[in-house]
Amino acid sequence: MRLHRLGLTAFGPFGGSQSVDFDELSAAGLFLLHGPTGAGKTSVLDAVCYALYGSVPGARQSAQGLTLRSDHAAPGTRTEVTLELTVAGRRLEVTRQPPWERPKRRGTGTTVDKAQSLLREYDAVAGVWKDLSRSHQEIGEEITQLLGMSREQFCQVVLLPQGDFARFLRADAEARGRLLGRLFDTQRFAEVEKRLAERRRTTEARVREGDAALLADAHRMQQAAGDAMELPEMAPGEPGLAEAVLTAAAVARSTAREQLTVAECGRLAAESAQAAAEIALADVRELVRLQERFARARERARLLEEGAGAHREAQARMERARKAEAVAPALELRDAADAEHRRAAAAEARARALLPERFAEDGAGGLAAAARRAARELGGLESARRGERRLAELLAERADLDRQERADEEVLAETEGWLADWEATRASLQARVESAQEAATRAEQLAVQREPARRRLTAARLRDELARDTERAQQRALASGERALQARTHWLDLKEQRLNGIAAELAATLKDGEPCAVCGATDHPAPARKVAGHVDREAEEQALAALQRAEQERADAERDLGLAREALAAATAEAGDSPTDRLAAEADELERSYAQARRDASALHPAREELRRAEYEHERRTAAQRDAAVRAASRVGHRERLERERTALEQELAEARGAAESVAARAAQLERQAALLTEAADAARAAEESAERLKAADGRLDEAAFRAGFDTPQAAADALLDDTAHRELQRRLDARQSEEAAVRAVLAEPETVAAAQRPPADLTTAERAAAEAAERLRRAASAQDAAARRCAELDRLSARAADGVRRLAPLREEYDRVARLAGLTAGTSADNERRMRLESYVLAARLEQVAAAATVRLQRMSSGRYTLVHSDDRTGRGRSGLGLHVVDAWTGRERDTSTLSGGETFFASLALALGLADVVTDEAGGVRLDTLFIDEGFGSLDDQTLDEVLDVLDSLRERDRSVGIVSHVADLRRRIHAQLEVVKGRGGSVVRLRTGG
């Protein structure tokens, strides 16, 4: 990684824009960054870190980066950091802008703009910068991947903070472990320790959980076994718990089976006793039933004897009813004849009540003759009915003629009014058609003018844009010309400086015994040496290349200016000199006129259609007026014919209807009279016939009653029973007979009679004995069931406990293995003699590499006196692995680094920092670090040690590496010619670059 240029704007103490050319500073290999306290030396390094990682080192990073902004900056100037560097063979430019609290563009107050980032890459083939990303995350990932280092590693490796390494030398193992862990990313080894510890806790919890489940099953077995099982007094996780629980379970199962055998014997004895008690109870119940049966039969016989009189009366009543049944048909016949006669007499009375009084004394024959006379008169009115219907039709036709006459009069009146306005309507519609036709013609003329106006307006706008482009191209051409002139001046200056120092450049190629290329001498007593700021061939060639690029840019800019001027001339020739605003206004007015003409012309077709419809309506109404006049003339003759026919019909109908309102009314009177007479004649004949049938039925009834033995027909009727009474009486007689037979049968049963002769049975005592036997059997069965359930539950729980023990065995083995590994990696196991954690072991190996790399430079700085060595000895009760000692070659003793003096601590920490940078660089994938910064600590060295330290730093240039020293030491300003000075002032700090002697 090599830094080229750093740009700062409103960053830290720098109120304005500052630029640092690291290429010029790095030309000498070693440069000094100095300035008074508070001027902003560290802010330059912070800017480098912020450009790469978006944050500054350590505690200087604040929330959201708002404090990075300079208090000296103008309100409208945004904070920005731009860093140009080469890493992994790629030329990159990183630009970052932290969040910015700026004044609002509208109103008062401030608003906060978000942070912005930009990553660009230089394309050497095309000679342009190409944008890669504007995402904070993508840029951070890309930079971290290219550098191979996190921000913390970068700050320790590239920005070497001497104070941190001095504390590192004196720190204990824990503090060194934290620093080395951040640099070498050994978190994965700590994660291994953590994962093993978590796995140990997990497996231990699972083992305890398994033992707890086993003890829970043991408690359940104890509850099931009662007092037959004793639990072992052991906690989950203790050895031997499983064997103790299984042994206690076996004892409990054996005891439960013995109790089950005893319970089965007790149940069998109880079953035998209960069966005998049930048989005795059944015998007693049968005796009670027979004794009760005999007693009920005696009581029923007594009740039958008491009801003997009523039974004889019922039998006599049944006998009279049987005799009356012979008279029943005659009674029914006489009742039917009487009912029929009464109905016929009532019908005759109703029919005669509807007739006039003159027919009251007529018999059936007279009424029939009168009905026939009314029918003959009704037949003579049929012709009059047809005439009456025709008269109604004539009146309807006359009314229809009146309606047609009124409708034609309305049509004639409306048509005459419409036709009176026809000429004015046709003239108005014709005017609308002609106006729309003129608008269509005008729209066609305006359409021809639109396209030239639009082209001229477009050319005018292009002319204005090309004028602005020409002005910008002219400014770029002037700027590129100035840059080309500056590049040429710079190249000539470097060329002159190289010619002045060409002797030192040639002297660098001299070798003892070989001739000089200038004078040919083989002895070189005093070869020229390069001074600070010496310009070599590479610098001159770079300046020449820069000049050629500037010349090419100037030629490109002039070519672009010529093209812009040609395009401007072409656009001006087409657009003319008229202002764009006036051309736009003219084009807008033309468009408005064209749109209005199009709208007016769009009414042409509707106007023509409306004129066509009006002409059609004129023809229709003229024809309607003519047709109405023809119909009015034809209606006159038709009305006269209807009137003559109506007069003749009215005379004929007046004679036919007589005193009635109409012929139909007279016909209705005759029809009703004929119907009433006919109905009365039929009713009179029916009444006479029913009276004859009633008289015959009375004679047959008297004869049937005498033969059946009754004095009168009424006595026979009284003796009859209806179906319900007959069935009820017969049921009573049958029930009496059945009851007598049943009582005789019961009193004749031998077993019933024998039971009645025995003493009364004691059912209560027998039932109590049976209940006690059943209770003893229930208790015996319950005891057997409880014993069986106890055996089954103990068998189930014992099987589950044995299965749990088998499943827990592999888990317990895994726990033992994981616990040993966790204790070993955590440094708490007895097998780990030095109590060294896994992460400390890895860091110890890295620290050993760092100590070896640091020793190479420490021996040169200390003139071979000191050597850094790694120690894994334990300190007190702490853990070992990260000890750091220094070996003093003058005494041959190894001692702690805390015993070094201030100056010795400085160059020891410097050597450690450089060694750590080499190791971290290799760890990060071997990314080449061409630019380093060393911060403070040189004031504690004497002149000789300072020379030795500077020689070591100067040796870093062997790989084309540049080293920047940040220091207040005044002697360094004399020794190091390339300097970057930070000068502070009231308006903010500024940087000054010095490369001379």
Side-chain angles (χ1 to χ4, degrees):
M1 181 199 70
R2 177 179 292 277
L3 305 182
H4 299 292
R5 184 184 63 83
L6 174 66
L8 307 172
T9 300
F11 183 86
F14 303 101
S17 296
Q18 303 294 322
S19 179
V20 179
D21 190 348
F22 285 110
D23 286 336
E24 188 172 356
L25 284 172
S26 303
L30 193 65
F31 62 91
L32 178 65
L33 175 59
H34 67 94
T37 301
K41 300 184 297 297
T42 305
S43 295
V44 175
L45 307 184
D46 288 349
V48 174
C49 184
Y50 178 75
L52 293 175
Y53 295 96
S55 60
V56 297
R60 294 190 295 277
Q61 175 67 23
S62 63
Q64 300 182 349
L66 290 174
T67 57
L68 298 178
R69 179 171 175 80
S70 176
D71 296 334
H72 302 285
T77 302
R78 178 156 191 175
T79 303
E80 181 178 278
V81 176
T82 301
L83 178 65
E84 186 179 337
L85 73 160
T86 297
V87 58
R90 299 171 61 183
R91 186 73 171 261
L92 303 176
E93 181 187 77
V94 187
T95 301
R96 292 189 186 269
Q97 296 175 344
W100 179 35
E101 185 177 3
R102 61 169 178 80
K104 292 183 177 179
R105 295 187 177 93
R106 296 180 180 178
T108 59
T110 60
T111 184
V112 177
D113 285 348
K114 295 181 180 179
Q116 302 290 333
S117 298
L118 173 62
L119 177 63
R120 301 197 303 171
E121 182 176 5
Y122 183 74
D123 188 348
V125 178
V128 295
W129 288 93
K130 294 183 177 180
D131 293 349
L132 296 183
S133 177
R134 292 181 179 273
S135 169
H136 303 302
Q137 182 179 358
E138 291 179 357
I139 294 174
E141 293 175 353
E142 181 73 12
I143 294 298
T144 303
Q145 181 179 4
L146 290 175
L147 293 177
M149 290 180 285
S150 64
R151 180 176 64 87
E152 291 77 8
Q153 291 176 321
F154 180 82
C155 294
Q156 295 289 343
V157 174
V158 179
L159 311 178
L160 302 178
Q162 295 307 305
D164 288 353
F165 283 97
R167 287 190 295 272
F168 179 81
L169 285 174
R170 299 186 177 91
D172 57 7
E174 294 295 333
R176 286 177 183 152
R178 286 193 296 271
L179 176 60
L180 292 174
R182 291 196 305 269
L183 292 178
F184 291 105
D185 190 19
T186 57
Q187 184 63 28
R188 58 186 183 276
F189 300 103
E191 286 295 328
V192 171
E193 300 175 18
K194 182 178 178 181
R195 291 290 297 276
L196 285 174
E198 291 177 354
R199 189 172 177 186
R200 178 187 61 191
R201 288 192 294 271
T202 302
T203 52
E204 182 180 6
R206 292 173 61 190
V207 169
R208 290 182 179 273
E209 182 180 355
D211 285 348
L214 183 61
L215 281 177
D217 289 340
H219 283 290
R220 295 188 185 94
M221 286 188 283
Q222 187 183 36
Q223 293 176 358
D227 298 333
M229 180 177 180
E230 295 183 0
L231 291 179
E233 297 180 356
M234 303 176 69
E238 292 188 18
L241 175 63
E243 291 76 5
V245 170
L246 294 179
T247 301
V251 174
R253 290 197 304 275
S254 176
T255 303
R257 288 190 175 89
E258 293 176 357
Q259 294 175 350
L260 177 60
T261 303
V262 173
E264 289 176 349
C265 294
R267 181 185 60 78
L268 293 175
E271 285 179 350
S272 299
Q274 194 265 347
E278 287 293 333
I279 293 173
L281 177 61
D283 293 342
V284 172
R285 285 175 176 168
E286 179 64 17
L287 179 59
V288 170
R289 185 185 69 81
L290 292 175
Q291 290 177 346
E292 291 177 349
R293 178 179 175 83
F294 185 81
R296 287 193 299 272
R298 293 293 299 273
E299 179 64 20
R300 290 162 61 190
R302 185 185 63 79
L303 294 176
L304 288 174
E305 185 64 26
E306 291 178 353
H311 177 63
R312 285 190 293 272
E313 292 179 359
Q315 286 178 333
R317 181 75 178 85
M318 179 61 72
E319 183 63 24
R320 287 195 303 273
R322 290 194 184 98
K323 292 179 179 179
E325 288 179 356
V327 187
L331 285 171
E332 292 175 357
L333 181 62
R334 195 270 174 191
D335 291 340
D338 183 61
E340 182 183 1
H341 178 65
R342 286 195 297 270
R343 288 195 297 272
E348 181 184 8
R350 287 194 300 274
R352 287 182 178 277
L354 299 175
L355 295 176
E357 292 182 359
R358 66 177 181 273
F359 299 110
E361 300 299 330
D362 294 344
L367 294 174
R372 286 192 294 273
R373 289 193 299 271
R376 284 194 298 271
E377 186 179 357
L378 179 62
L381 292 178
E382 182 62 30
S383 175
R385 285 182 178 180
R386 290 194 296 271
E388 192 173 41
R389 287 195 294 271
R390 175 57 183 164
L391 180 60
E393 293 174 358
L394 291 176
L395 294 176
E397 289 182 13
R398 176 66 180 270
D400 185 53
L401 289 176
D402 292 340
R403 286 194 300 274
Q404 292 178 4
E405 184 176 5
R406 288 194 298 272
D408 287 341
E409 289 176 354
E410 292 175 359
V411 170
L412 289 173
E414 181 185 1
T415 302
E416 289 175 358
W418 192 89
L419 292 175
D421 298 333
W422 164 242
E423 293 300 331
T425 302
R426 182 175 60 180
S428 175
L429 294 175
Q430 189 65 37
R432 287 176 54 191
V433 171
E434 293 174 356
S435 176
Q437 185 64 46
E438 292 176 358
T441 303
R442 188 167 61 255
E444 293 177 356
Q445 294 172 354
L446 293 174
V448 177
Q449 302 173 12
R450 288 174 63 217
E451 185 60 29
R454 282 201 299 266
R455 287 199 302 269
R456 190 176 181 189
L457 177 59
T458 303
R461 289 172 176 168
L462 179 61
R463 176 197 63 195
D464 297 344
E465 180 67 24
L466 291 173
R468 291 190 291 271
D469 292 345
T470 302
E471 184 178 356
R472 288 193 294 268
Q474 186 173 4
Q475 294 175 356
R476 288 195 298 271
L478 292 174
S480 61
E482 293 178 359
R483 288 195 297 272
L485 182 59
Q486 293 175 359
R488 178 173 294 279
T489 302
H490 179 62
W491 172 64
L492 293 175
D493 291 342
L494 291 182
K495 186 173 184 180
E496 183 179 359
Q497 293 178 20
R498 186 189 174 203
L499 291 175
N500 293 335
I502 194 66
E505 184 176 341
L506 294 174
T509 62
L510 295 178
K511 296 182 180 179
D512 294 337
E514 294 183 3
C516 175
V518 177
C519 63
T522 58
D523 188 13
H524 317 296
R529 296 186 178 277
K530 296 180 181 179
V531 298
H534 174 74
V535 178
D536 54 8
R537 178 187 297 275
E538 182 180 0
E540 181 186 355
E541 291 176 351
Q542 290 177 353
L544 179 58
L547 171 60
Q548 293 173 350
R549 288 195 300 272
E551 290 288 348
Q552 183 62 39
E553 291 176 358
R554 180 181 61 79
D556 294 342
E558 290 178 351
R559 183 177 64 256
D560 294 342
L561 177 60
L563 294 175
R565 286 174 175 171
E566 292 177 1
L568 176 61
T572 303
E574 184 175 358
D577 297 332
S578 298
T580 304
D581 296 341
R582 188 173 69 186
L583 293 177
E586 293 175 354
D588 292 341
E589 179 62 27
L590 182 60
E591 289 292 335
R592 286 193 295 271
S593 300
Y594 175 71
Q596 183 62 40
R598 286 289 303 274
R599 286 193 296 271
D600 295 342
S602 63
L604 177 60
H605 180 69
R608 287 176 175 172
E609 287 296 318
E610 188 172 358
L611 178 59
R612 183 185 60 78
R613 288 194 297 270
E615 291 175 346
Y616 173 77
E617 182 67 15
H618 176 263
E619 294 176 359
R620 187 185 68 79
R621 288 181 180 270
T622 302
Q625 185 181 32
R626 184 171 57 253
D627 295 342
V630 172
R631 287 194 299 272
S634 65
R635 276 194 300 271
V636 175
H638 190 194
R639 184 179 288 107
E640 292 176 354
R641 288 192 301 273
L642 293 177
E643 185 64 25
R644 287 192 299 269
E645 186 178 0
R646 182 184 64 80
T647 302
L649 287 174
E650 286 179 351
Q651 292 175 358
E652 180 183 353
L653 292 176
E655 295 176 357
R657 63 176 174 262
E661 294 180 357
S662 63
V663 175
R666 176 61 179 165
Q669 291 175 358
L670 292 175
E671 286 177 357
R672 178 173 176 78
Q673 183 178 354
L676 291 175
L677 291 171
T678 302
E679 183 180 357
D682 294 340
R685 281 193 298 271
E688 293 173 356
E689 293 173 356
S690 63
E692 293 293 331
R693 285 192 294 274
L694 177 60
K695 183 177 180 181
D698 286 338
R700 287 192 294 271
L701 177 60
D702 292 340
E703 184 180 358
F706 178 76
R707 285 198 303 270
F710 293 99
D711 295 336
T712 62
Q714 185 62 38
D718 293 339
L720 281 174
L721 294 175
D722 58 17
D723 291 342
T724 302
H726 185 276
R727 285 195 299 272
E728 177 60 24
L729 183 58
Q730 185 64 45
R731 185 191 64 77
R732 287 165 53 192
L733 293 174
D734 293 343
R736 168 79 183 200
Q737 185 178 1
S738 299
E739 180 67 10
E740 289 177 351
V743 169
R744 287 194 299 270
V746 172
L747 294 178
E749 292 176 353
E751 62 274 11
T752 304
V753 175
Q757 296 174 356
R758 294 177 61 182
D762 189 358
L763 181 60
T764 304
T765 302
E767 288 179 345
R768 185 185 305 110
E772 291 175 353
E775 178 63 22
R776 287 192 296 271
L777 176 60
R778 187 188 63 78
R779 288 196 298 269
S782 298
Q784 181 183 352
D785 291 341
R789 288 194 300 272
R790 185 182 303 111
C791 289
E793 182 67 10
L794 288 175
D795 290 341
R796 184 182 68 81
L797 293 174
S798 298
R800 189 166 75 177
D803 183 64
V805 170
R806 286 193 298 272
R807 286 186 287 102
L808 194 60
L811 182 61
R812 191 180 297 277
E813 294 177 0
E814 180 184 0
Y815 166 68
D816 295 338
R817 182 173 62 257
V818 172
R820 288 195 301 271
L821 286 175
L824 187 64
T825 58
T828 58
S829 173
D831 297 334
N832 193 334
E833 298 178 356
R834 298 186 179 276
R835 298 184 64 191
M836 185 182 297
R837 294 172 46 219
L838 176 62
E839 184 182 15
S840 299
Y841 177 79
V842 176
L843 292 177
R846 293 290 187 267
L847 183 59
E848 188 173 358
Q849 297 174 356
V850 171
T855 296
V856 177
R857 296 184 175 88
L858 179 60
Q859 287 183 342
R860 293 184 59 185
M861 295 180 187
S862 63
S863 300
R865 179 178 179 183
Y866 293 118
T867 301
L868 280 175
V869 295
H870 161 252
S871 174
D872 56 5
D873 294 336
R874 294 174 56 182
T875 57
R877 298 181 62 185
R879 298 176 182 175
S880 60
L882 297 178
L884 194 61
H885 291 174
V886 62
V887 178
D888 190 347
W890 290 1
T891 62
R893 300 289 298 275
E894 180 178 329
R895 52 194 174 98
D896 194 85
T897 53
S898 61
T899 61
L900 294 174
S901 65
E904 293 171 340
T905 299
F906 166 70
F907 60 70
S909 62
L910 177 60
L912 184 64
L914 295 174
L916 182 63
D918 292 339
V919 174
V920 171
T921 301
D922 295 338
E923 178 75 11
V927 177
R928 179 180 175 86
L929 301 177
D930 296 321
T931 306
L932 297 176
F933 294 92
I934 301 175
D935 192 1
E936 279 301 344
F938 293 88
S940 59
L941 305 178
D942 55 28
D943 292 341
Q944 181 180 354
T945 305
L946 180 61
D947 288 338
E948 293 174 350
V949 170
L950 291 178
D951 288 341
V952 171
L953 295 178
D954 192 58
S955 65
L956 297 176
R957 295 185 301 170
E958 296 174 357
R959 300 179 181 178
D960 198 19
R961 179 184 294 174
S962 60
V963 179
I965 298 175
V966 183
S967 178
H968 293 278
V969 179
D971 191 42
L972 289 177
R973 288 194 286 258
R974 179 181 55 82
R975 296 170 178 262
I976 302 175
H977 300 290
Q979 301 177 9
L980 180 64
E981 182 181 5
V982 183
V983 182
K984 65 180 180 179
R986 288 185 175 273
S989 299
V990 297
V991 296
R992 296 177 180 173
L993 183 65
R994 299 179 180 177
T995 57

